[in-house]
Amino acid sequence: DFRSCEGTMQALTYLVDKADAVYPQWLGVRFSYGMNGVVMRRRDLSPFAEYLATHVSRQPPDILWREWVEGKREDVRSHTLGRKVLVYKWNLMEHIGEVSTFAVRPNRPKWPRCYDQMKEVWSLSTAEKFDGLRCDDVDVSPCVKRLRVNVENWHGAT
C-alpha cells in the first residue's frame, strides 16, 4: 500500500553507503514511515523476525518495530545493544492504501507525500523522526558525535 518516490533506489544505495561510513553499527535506516520505510541489516532480520513472531498477538508489527528501536525491553536491548536508527531527511515512499494498523480517525493528519520532511511525520516516535533542530544542515540524523555518529566521515556524493 505504498509506492516508491522517483529516485528511491538511488537514494537507498546512497543512504546505506552513508550509514556504513558515519555510523557503522546502525540498527536501521528509516527513509519513510510504516514498516515499508526501513532498511535493516541482514544480521538483524532473524532476531527481529523472532521478536515479531513472539509478540505479534500483543501488538501490530509497526508498533513492535518501535519497541525494537526504542530498546526499552530487556529482551530487545540484549540484541540491539543501544544501536540507533539513522533517519533520512526526506520521505521516499507514498502511502496509497486505505487500511492502517492505526484506528480510523477522521481528524488524523495527512500522510506525508514524496519528499516531505521526515521531521514532521506524525506517526513516528521521536527516535525515528529526522532531528531538524540539530541536523538541518545535513541529510541524516542523529548527526551528533556523542551518539557515535560522525557525519564528517562521509566523503561521498550528496
Side-chain angles (χ1 to χ4, degrees), residues 16-117:
V16 171
D17 287 347
K18 186 167 188 172
D20 286 340
V22 303
Y23 186 60
Q25 63 272 29
W26 56 273
L27 180 62
V29 177
R30 166 115 3 234
F31 60 92
S32 191
Y33 49 96
M35 285 302 299
N36 295 312
V38 177
V39 172
M40 293 179 69
R41 293 177 174 278
R42 183 180 303 143
R43 70 174 181 238
D44 293 321
L45 291 176
S46 290
F48 183 62
E50 288 175 29
Y51 187 73
L52 283 176
T54 302
H55 297 282
V56 74
S57 63
R58 181 174 59 78
Q59 292 285 359
D62 46 351
I63 303 302
L64 293 173
W65 169 254
R66 180 178 291 176
E67 288 180 1
W68 188 257
V69 168
E70 292 175 350
K72 294 179 181 175
R73 294 174 51 99
E74 179 57 39
D75 56 342
V76 169
R77 282 192 306 272
S78 65
H79 180 76
T80 61
L81 305 172
R83 294 178 293 143
K84 305 287 182 213
V85 169
L86 292 180
V87 183
Y88 191 44
K89 187 175 190 172
W90 308 106
N91 177 47
L92 296 177
M93 297 189 84
E94 192 167 48
H95 191 266
I96 57 173
E98 297 297 322
V99 178
S100 173
T101 56
F102 289 97
V104 174
R105 292 175 248 166
N107 297 324
R108 179 180 72 192
K110 297 278 186 216
W111 292 110
R113 309 287 294 197
C114 286
Y115 296 100
D116 283 350
Q117 290 200 25

